[in-house]
Amino acid sequence: FRLQHLLVIGVLALSVSISGLIRASPAAHGLDLFEFDPFFNFRATEYMIENGYPEYSNWIDEKTWYPFGRDISENSQVILHLITAVFYKLFGFGMSLYDFTVYFPLVIGSITSIVVFAFVRVLAGTTAGLVSALMFSISMPIFTRGLIGWVKSEPLGLFLGFIAIYLFASGI
């Protein structure tokens, strides 16, 4: 490693740390899911883990959308539930699913700054990539939709979207 590589690693670590600290600020009020949608996404992920994907894909949730229920596989964020379940199986390390889903947006949102760096680096170079990673980590419209306890599609969508455009730009 040269000094330049250590500087890049240091700035990326700073970017991930800043993003994580900002996204963790609601933890001062407790480690809970907040609002309805994150709790529903937890419950749907829990259903998938307990019953498997085939049962999940045929699940009519009768606790929502009274009186007919909700066909989860047709009008829900299936990929969010699937990826959260897979990551929980891989990286859960004995923690409860509830706790995992509380921390999931914080971790995915913070790691996204590294993917942003990689994407911008392909387009404009290392310095621009580092600046964009730092800007991504402090951007209020982005981090407010990926705070701890906010299990929704935005943090995962940004993560997967930046990976997709990084791979596209790298392929060109």
Side-chain angles (χ1 to χ4, degrees), residues 18-158:
I18 289 170
S19 183
L21 288 171
I22 291 171
R23 291 168 190 270
S25 60
H29 306 290
L31 292 173
D32 292 313
L33 296 172
F34 53 93
E35 295 194 24
F36 173 77
D37 290 344
F39 191 79
F40 168 76
N41 290 326
F42 156 72
R43 198 166 68 79
T45 303
E46 181 179 49
Y47 188 90
M48 182 183 290
I49 289 172
E50 291 176 355
N51 300 298
Y53 184 76
E55 281 292 319
Y56 171 87
S57 64
N58 295 319
W59 180 31
I60 305 294
D61 181 14
E62 295 174 353
K63 291 184 178 181
T64 56
W65 293 4
Y66 181 82
F68 303 110
R70 177 180 179 184
D71 186 349
I72 299 303
S73 65
E74 285 190 18
N75 56 25
S76 183
Q77 301 165 338
V78 177
I79 297 301
L80 173 64
H81 305 152
L82 181 65
I83 289 178
T84 305
V86 168
F87 279 13
Y88 174 69
K89 292 288 188 181
L90 293 174
F91 306 112
F93 303 123
M95 96 176 26
S96 70
L97 178 62
Y98 184 84
D99 290 340
F100 183 83
T101 54
V102 167
Y103 287 108
F104 185 70
L106 177 138
V107 172
I108 286 295
S110 298
I111 292 173
T112 303
S113 64
I114 295 173
V115 182
V116 168
F117 160 74
F119 168 61
V120 175
R121 183 178 181 203
V122 168
L123 298 178
T126 302
T127 304
L130 292 173
V131 170
S132 65
L134 285 169
M135 290 183 69
F136 178 86
S137 68
I138 62 169
S139 174
M140 186 177 288
I142 291 172
F143 73 72
T144 56
R145 298 295 286 181
L147 297 170
I148 192 169
W150 183 258
V151 186
K152 295 224 7 153
S153 60
E154 290 90 347
L156 183 63
L158 284 170

